[in-house]
Amino acid sequence: MKTVVVTDQNHTWFEIPDAAVLTARRYLAEPESGNEGTVRVLNLCRTGRYQGRGYYVSLVAEARGQRPVPDVKTIEDLKAEAYVRALEAEIQPLVQETLHHDESDRFQLDVYLGKHRSHQALAEQLFARVRAPLLRVLFAHADGGWRLDALQAMGLADVPLQDRAFLLEAVKSFMTESAGARRQGARSGRPRMAILRDRNEPHKPSNEEALQRFVKAARLVGLEAELIGPDALERLPEFDALFNRAGPEGIIYEFVRRAESLGMPVVDDPESILKCGNKVYMQELLNRHRIATPRTLIVHKGNVDDVVPTLGLPCVLKLPDSGFGLDVVKIESEDNLRKEAERFFNQSELLIAQEWLPSDFDWRVGVFDRRPLFVAKYYMAPGHWKVNRVVEGQQLIDGKTEAMTIGEAPEQVINTAVRAANLIGRGLYGADLKQVEDRVYLIEVNCNPNIDAGNEDQVLGETLYREVLGVFARRIARLQAALRNVERRDRFMEFVVKGGSLETQRTGCIVVGVYEGGKLSPSAMEIDAASGRALDEAVSRGDLEGELGTTLLLARIPGAASERVLLVGLGPEREFVESSYHTALCAATRMLRTTGADEATLCLNELPVNGRNGAWKIEQAVLAVMDGTYRFDRLKSEPPKRKRALARVVFHVAEGSETSAAEAAIDRAVAIAEGVTFAKDLGNLPANVCTPTYLAEQARELANHHGFEVKILGRNDIEKLGMNAFLAVASGSRQPPKLIVMEYHGGPRDALPVVLVGKGITFDTGGVDIKSSSDMEQMKFDKCGAASVFGALRAAALMKLPLNVVGIVPAAENMPDGNAMKPGDVVTTMSGQTVEILDTDSEGRLVLSDALTYAEKYTPAVLVDVATLTGAIVSALGEIATGVFSNSDALVREVVEAGDSAWDRAWHMPLWPEYQDTFKSDIADFANVGPHGDCAITAACFLSRFTKRYPWVHLDIAGTASKSGEDKGATGRPVALLVHFLEGRAAA
Ligand code: BES
Ligand code: ZN
Ligand code: ZN
């Protein structure tokens, strides 16, 4: 759902990326603002003043059919003392528990979209009940307890300066994690639906047996249903959908309204209830759409006398909002009419009078989601003229119900019912009709129709219940798919799965493969057949020979609904392996970027790739598309102009049964891609922007966003810890060093964490042993280890991996300066070991040595360090593989396998003892480089002197973290490897 944020005035600090932020003045003046689809209006104006501008924003939003938060009712509730007292009673226990240490007289709690820095639980509860985005809650101490003194809706202008950053985060997370996501987080497994029932309701829409059958059927469609009562309003956020099987009035309306504002599928929805509830409205609607009804007169005090002449006697008189036929009377005489009309006028200005249509039964058609669900004849209750449930004394007398299949009922009955129900909405309705000879009249459409075991289910049996719940299951699934897209939207790319035939897919471009020699992939063949051999012809003409990575774009192929078809050369079929798959994906993405297509359907994942499964192929495709469309242009003064850019990628699956696996693969891949993109962005930032302090801020933001803990240690703390090797490296720079520590708690409290340590040299000049000037700018990439740790944590948090992960980043700049470390300096590391700094350009191992010792305090289950450590690893492995070093062979296997499954490959390098004595020092314990022939392995050996207390892996990513040449830039590696590694650990 799109969100428009409305503020009372322009606040320069209030910037929400990718969101429409309007002033109230503009919102009110422009009726078209945000008119496409359902729009949620986040109203951050002061709404306290009746008919003030803020009040009007919500009022007008409702009139425009949008969803304001707060809605008008909430604004009004806030002013009612009775409401405040009722709320107080509900939240009392939590308030006492939350504030019991507080000694002061008064306490002010500012809740921003259900978020509060220290009192989160209370903030959440308040927001669940009072849907006002900025809420100031005042508590006062009285009689040893706390009472709720006042509730105020704040405006953006009232937010204290120090809360602004926090508020921005709260708004952003409100926009991305919609209600559904929040509900989902807490548990795994099937979506849950609440079936609301009221044991005290005299006209129960479903009997006990039917309710039980609903609960049972839920499981068959993958849902978990629970029966809840009218007292469970505050539990609503636990569920993913609401099905009302209680009476239509009072608190029930509050339930459906709340469910709707929580964004969950709900039947009956509030709009349907209002529409069905008023017969005047219904009559107007049916007339307008030319649906036949009995002759009807809308009666007011001035036209009572027209009733009998127009409709004759007998006729029927009804109250507009009558339910269950309770306020419907049969009029037999003028006298009788006047008496009953007078009685009804006390309750309503307008009444309905209808001609009398005698019949033995009414038709009742149940319609759900725009389709007929059941049909039955409701016979008149014995001795009465009304069907079903006539009140006689206190007794309800039911007429007989006779259900039949949809096919057995007259077509005209079914069609009229469905047409009428569709005028109301997509909910569950009961349409009542009368048939007089061959004419069918619609009497009314009701919400909340009866579904009783033994009556409406006579024909369909269990299937009826399953059909109803199937609609819920599909709506929930659709909503959750939409949520997946929300997270993707900020990357401007959406991934979805579709089945069905290819030639009918309306899409910007279908991407299919052609092997060398002209053999078409299965999808290519399908299109070829539909298009009268258009592809085959192009290939035979020699336009594409199938060489790996070549492409041919064909426009407007006959017989295919897609605007374009992109053929991608795959090379020889028997040589088609992972790397070829990648080349094909990259070539396709490169080409797609140049076309005007904003949607593409990728069919390359149908190709067999060396035994890889479907999930692997989809994950790789998502990552390849994200990689191929990545741009780092935030430092350009004007964003480069683009054509309509690719914004949606559809994966085509042949079998419907593959859909959910494909969607799961997409979700995983998108989380990884988010991590990769984050790492790329950090890597690509220049050193004057991305300083150690900047990295620390990023860590704070990341942690705030995902709710993990963060600690930033400055120079003083680092000194106190005795991290002198780290300090030596930072000493030549004006930029203060930062030791950044992030803790993600996804696993059991006492589970030992996986610790990730990333080298964070924001620029490496080499120091006094200065590097040569050619390509020195590439040394901004010396923080890519740190960047990958940030990225992996982000992905882990998005995937909610059930394990504990600690990220540690020693961040500093390596500069030559009067204060810089000098060749030959000796420092005492945090471990107590002394190091002679023979080369100031071997700074990575110095900062890491202290970080590795610091990590001991976490007793790592395993520690992985990631560093652009040596030029030598680039000579050894080039830009393809990351070098892996470890004190445990089992760990090496784990990491190499993670790299293989992520296709972010790594190669085992030796750490044999012979390499250990190449960096001796005559005055310190050892030096940071050997006299000659220093290599990637000696660097790793140096690190191994600090990692004796835990299982350890070192990844030298100097070759893989960035690319030079034409595609110059950070690669985001090895985020994917790290995430796969973490996943493996989480599953173990
Ligand atoms: N950051 C460099 C390593 C590096 C080199 C990363 C090339 C990316 C591309 C590291 O701090 C360094 O300078 N290492 C030296 C060590 C040598 C002086 C013993 C190297 O590899 O040249
Ligand atoms: Zn260096
Ligand atoms: Zn370096």
Side-chain angles (χ1 to χ4, degrees):
M1 197 190 314
K2 191 180 156 194
T3 304
V4 173
V5 185
V6 182
T7 61
D8 33 18
Q9 60 194 49
N10 269 322
H11 297 274
T12 47
W13 60 272
F14 187 79
E15 252 183 42
I16 306 286
D18 304 330
V21 180
L22 299 177
T23 61
R25 194 186 287 276
R26 234 186 97 193
Y27 176 78
L28 294 172
E30 290 175 12
E32 71 281 7
S33 17
N35 248 354
E36 52 300 330
T38 323
V39 176
R40 181 168 56 184
V41 176
L42 191 56
N43 178 4
L44 301 184
C45 306
R46 281 187 195 151
T47 51
R49 199 155 52 83
Y50 179 59
Q51 297 193 353
R53 207 178 283 154
Y55 175 84
Y56 270 118
V57 168
S58 289
L59 188 71
V60 164
E62 282 179 15
R64 290 179 185 168
Q66 302 171 336
R67 305 237 180 102
V69 185
D71 56 19
V72 174
K73 185 162 182 301
T74 304
I75 295 178
E76 272 155 15
D77 282 348
L78 281 172
K79 293 185 208 139
E81 179 63 19
Y83 181 80
V84 177
R85 294 283 70 92
L87 178 71
E88 176 177 44
E90 283 177 39
I91 58 165
Q92 196 53 254
L94 186 59
V95 171
Q96 304 310 347
E97 190 189 312
T98 309
L99 302 182
H100 75 279
H101 318 282
D102 208 288
E103 303 272 286
S104 45
D105 290 342
R106 296 178 60 73
F107 187 83
Q108 174 181 320
L109 187 78
D110 289 350
V111 178
Y112 305 132
L113 292 141
K115 296 260 155 61
H116 187 273
R117 267 203 199 87
S118 29
H119 301 312
Q120 184 52 33
L122 183 54
E124 241 165 60
Q125 289 266 331
L126 282 161
F127 189 51
R129 291 175 166 80
V130 189
R131 301 292 290 179
L134 311 179
L135 191 64
R136 178 161 289 170
V137 192
L138 298 169
F139 298 97
H141 226 148
D143 314 324
W146 286 95
R147 55 176 273 130
L148 178 58
D149 217 23
L151 280 178
Q152 294 160 3
M154 307 162 68
L156 211 49
D158 304 313
V159 173
L161 204 66
Q162 70 272 19
D163 284 1
R164 287 179 178 177
F166 184 74
L167 165 74
L168 282 172
E169 280 315 307
V171 174
K172 282 185 217 159
S173 69
F174 176 77
M175 306 219 336
T176 46
E177 58 178 69
S178 93
R182 222 172 303 137
R183 283 195 305 278
Q184 254 202 329
R187 38 152 239 279
S188 55
R190 327 161 185 240
R192 297 179 61 197
M193 75 177 269
I195 301 179
L196 180 59
R197 58 97 158 264
D198 184 357
R199 293 179 198 273
N200 300 322
E201 165 66 48
H203 318 292
K204 293 187 183 61
S206 282
N207 54 18
E208 190 58 35
E209 167 93 48
L211 291 175
Q212 292 310 330
R213 290 192 178 184
F214 275 123
V215 172
K216 231 168 86 199
R219 259 167 252 142
L220 301 175
V221 298
L223 300 176
E224 197 66 60
E226 185 183 333
L227 298 171
I228 62 169
D231 56 343
L233 185 59
E234 70 282 3
R235 286 191 51 209
L236 212 49
E238 291 168 26
F239 296 94
D240 299 289
L242 175 70
F243 183 23
N244 175 31
R245 291 280 86 196
E249 265 132 35
I251 177 83
I252 305 308
Y253 187 69
E254 187 58 32
F255 260 90
V256 298
R257 221 176 63 95
R258 190 78 68 88
E260 189 180 57
S261 74
L262 286 167
M264 59 177 83
V266 51
V267 172
D268 320 298
D269 59 291
E271 196 178 320
S272 293
I273 293 186
L274 293 179
K275 284 181 172 172
C276 290
N278 192 297
K279 295 195 168 69
V280 172
Y281 175 90
M282 183 74 65
Q283 189 62 43
E284 297 278 340
L285 189 70
L286 297 172
N287 284 349
R288 188 147 59 90
H289 291 88
R290 300 183 191 289
I291 293 179
T293 60
R295 261 182 304 137
T296 301
L297 195 65
I298 300 199
V299 186
H300 47 85
K301 287 188 177 133
N303 68 352
V304 184
D305 292 341
D306 300 343
V307 173
V308 176
T310 323
L311 305 175
L313 282 174
C315 65
V316 177
L317 192 67
K318 307 176 178 178
L319 268 177
D321 57 355
S322 58
F324 289 105
L326 295 179
D327 296 302
V328 180
V329 288
K330 182 176 176 186
I331 303 295
E332 316 246 23
S333 69
E334 299 251 1
D335 237 21
N336 185 207
L337 171 69
R338 259 185 300 280
K339 242 194 351 237
E340 294 292 357
E342 200 166 318
R343 184 166 71 91
F344 280 176
F345 279 136
N346 288 333
Q347 296 176 57
S348 170
E349 286 284 316
L350 298 178
L351 313 177
I352 308 258
Q354 268 177 343
E355 76 178 303
W356 174 257
L357 291 179
S359 61
D360 295 338
F361 61 86
D362 277 4
W363 284 106
R364 161 58 69 95
V365 183
V367 181
F368 192 17
D369 202 32
R370 303 180 163 268
R371 285 194 308 270
L373 182 67
F374 60 82
V375 54
K377 285 177 176 174
Y378 283 4
Y379 284 90
M380 304 306 151
H384 291 270
W385 60 273
K386 284 187 281 190
V387 297
N388 264 27
R389 314 205 147 173
V390 177
V391 187
E392 201 169 77
Q394 285 309 307
Q395 284 284 305
L396 281 173
I397 305 182
D398 281 10
K400 192 164 64 100
T401 304
E402 184 189 311
M404 61 190 71
T405 65
I406 305 285
E408 281 168 314
E411 207 179 303
Q412 209 195 341
V413 168
I414 303 293
N415 287 349
T416 311
V418 172
R419 263 178 65 213
N422 289 355
L423 296 177
I424 309 286
R426 302 197 74 106
L428 173 61
Y429 312 103
D432 293 338
L433 305 98
K434 273 189 195 292
Q435 192 181 11
V436 180
E437 286 150 21
D438 58 348
R439 289 188 54 84
V440 169
Y441 301 94
L442 198 110
I443 309 297
E444 61 189 38
V445 180
N446 295 296
C447 266
N448 207 11
N450 267 56
I451 299 184
D452 279 338
N455 284 337
E456 287 77 6
D457 67 357
Q458 283 167 17
V459 173
L460 285 178
E462 300 296 333
T463 312
L464 175 64
Y465 302 94
R466 204 190 309 179
E467 284 282 312
V468 171
L469 295 184
V471 171
F472 278 97
R474 281 195 295 280
R475 288 186 185 175
I476 294 171
R478 214 174 305 133
L479 215 72
Q480 289 179 347
L483 289 177
R484 270 200 294 278
N485 299 339
V486 172
E487 280 186 4
R488 279 165 216 159
R489 195 153 297 150
D490 58 5
R491 295 280 164 234
F492 305 107
M493 192 66 75
E494 192 183 330
F495 296 92
V496 293
V497 180
K498 264 196 209 155
S501 84
L502 269 179
E503 68 260 27
T504 55
Q505 285 218 4
R506 284 191 187 285
T507 183
C509 189
I510 296 186
V511 183
V512 295
V514 180
Y515 293 108
E516 209 167 88
K519 180 177 169 196
L520 301 179
S521 71
S523 295
M525 279 200 249
E526 194 183 329
I527 297 177
D528 189 48
S531 65
R533 310 253 140 230
L535 306 197
D536 205 37
E537 203 174 289
V539 172
S540 320
R541 265 200 314 264
D543 293 355
L544 186 85
E545 290 176 332
E547 187 191 331
L548 180 62
T550 55
T551 50
L552 175 66
L553 187 68
L554 301 172
R556 303 220 174 280
I557 294 269
S562 160
E563 290 164 23
R564 308 167 186 78
V565 173
L566 178 63
L567 302 182
V568 183
L570 304 174
E573 184 172 5
R574 70 204 126 65
E575 288 170 26
F576 193 78
V577 290
E578 290 90 339
S579 56
S580 350
Y581 181 54
H582 266 267
T583 309
L585 286 169
C586 293
T589 311
R590 205 174 313 124
M591 193 65 199
L592 284 172
R593 253 178 29 212
T594 66
T595 72
D598 60 350
E599 183 186 283
T601 300
L602 264 190
C603 306
L604 298 178
N605 54 310
E606 69 184 344
L607 307 167
V609 185
N610 204 14
R612 298 285 182 170
N613 63 19
W616 185 89
K617 289 186 276 188
I618 286 194
E619 180 180 321
Q620 294 305 314
V622 169
L623 288 165
V625 169
M626 292 302 283
D627 190 63
T629 49
Y630 174 85
R631 291 286 170 280
F632 184 74
D633 46 24
R634 66 164 90 162
L635 300 179
K636 303 239 185 226
S637 58
E638 256 176 58
K641 294 221 175 4
R642 279 194 211 126
K643 311 190 195 186
R644 211 156 50 127
L646 184 66
R648 193 170 142 103
V649 173
V650 179
F651 287 103
H652 182 252
V653 293
E655 304 278 336
S657 56
E658 297 167 36
T659 305
S660 62
E663 281 177 347
I666 290 179
D667 285 348
R668 253 173 108 240
V670 167
I672 298 175
E674 292 278 344
V676 169
T677 306
F678 188 39
K680 280 187 196 169
D681 282 348
L682 286 177
N684 286 329
L685 279 171
N688 64 328
V689 176
C690 187
T691 59
T693 309
Y694 180 91
L695 278 180
E697 279 165 16
Q698 291 298 303
R700 269 213 185 91
E701 252 183 47
L702 181 68
N704 271 342
H705 190 264
H706 294 291
F708 40 86
E709 280 167 42
V710 63
K711 255 190 302 192
I712 309 292
L713 280 64
R715 196 189 292 274
N716 284 341
D717 309 305
I718 299 170
E719 262 166 27
K720 272 191 218 134
L721 287 165
M723 305 174 99
N724 297 310
F726 181 14
L727 283 174
V729 173
S731 63
S733 169
R734 307 287 168 95
Q735 296 293 340
K738 302 283 174 194
L739 183 70
I740 301 166
V741 185
M742 291 166 282
E743 296 174 20
Y744 164 73
H745 296 279
R749 194 185 279 269
D750 53 354
L752 296 183
V754 175
V755 179
L756 304 178
V757 176
K759 170 177 172 183
I761 298 296
T762 57
F763 197 82
D764 182 11
T765 63
V768 170
D769 288 313
I770 199 159
K771 288 181 181 292
S772 79
S773 59
S774 71
D775 291 338
M776 206 210 268
E777 87 284 350
Q778 301 236 2
M779 285 301 129
K780 70 172 182 180
F781 295 126
D782 216 14
K783 56 181 170 334
C784 284
S788 72
V789 170
F790 279 65
L793 278 169
R794 178 158 161 74
L798 286 172
M799 292 163 84
K800 303 197 167 66
L801 289 184
L803 83 172
N804 299 330
V805 187
V806 177
I808 301 179
V809 167
E813 202 180 56
N814 187 19
M815 298 287 280
D817 171 88
N819 201 35
M821 58 180 171
K822 296 163 290 293
D825 284 357
V826 174
V827 292
T828 304
T829 60
M830 185 179 175
S831 71
Q833 302 174 94
T834 57
V835 174
E836 184 180 9
I837 302 172
L838 286 182
D839 188 325
T840 63
D841 197 9
S842 298
E843 83 299 337
R845 56 198 89 174
L846 294 174
V847 298
L848 286 174
S849 66
D850 281 339
L852 292 170
T853 306
Y854 179 84
E856 283 175 10
K857 72 181 235 163
Y858 287 99
T859 30
V862 52
L863 184 147
V864 183
D865 83 66
V866 192
T868 45
L869 205 63
T870 64
I873 199 75
V874 193
S875 311
L877 301 175
E879 293 190 340
I880 311 297
T882 293
V884 184
F885 305 78
S886 173
N887 57 13
S888 146
D889 282 347
L891 256 181
V892 169
R893 275 193 295 278
E894 213 179 310
V895 169
V896 170
E897 268 164 32
D900 182 69
S901 75
W903 207 246
D904 180 359
R905 285 166 301 169
W907 193 253
H908 187 189
M909 303 287 288
L911 258 187
W912 296 321
E914 288 86 336
Y915 289 99
Q916 288 286 358
D917 24 76
T918 54
F919 47 101
K920 294 201 177 96
S921 161
D922 42 7
I923 58 170
D925 294 349
F926 43 89
N928 72 335
V929 284
H932 35 247
D934 189 80
C935 63
I937 306 175
T938 45
C941 286
F942 180 92
L943 298 179
S944 74
R945 311 258 170 129
F946 301 87
T947 59
K948 299 229 167 5
R949 304 231 158 101
Y950 42 75
W952 158 73
V953 195
H954 158 60
L955 302 179
D956 193 338
I957 57 165
T960 50
S962 60
K963 281 190 190 155
S964 47
E966 213 181 310
D967 310 327
K968 183 168 133 181
T971 59
R973 289 182 67 183
V975 169
L977 177 153
L978 291 173
V979 176
H980 277 240
F981 175 75
L982 292 175
E983 266 188 306
R985 286 262 149 181

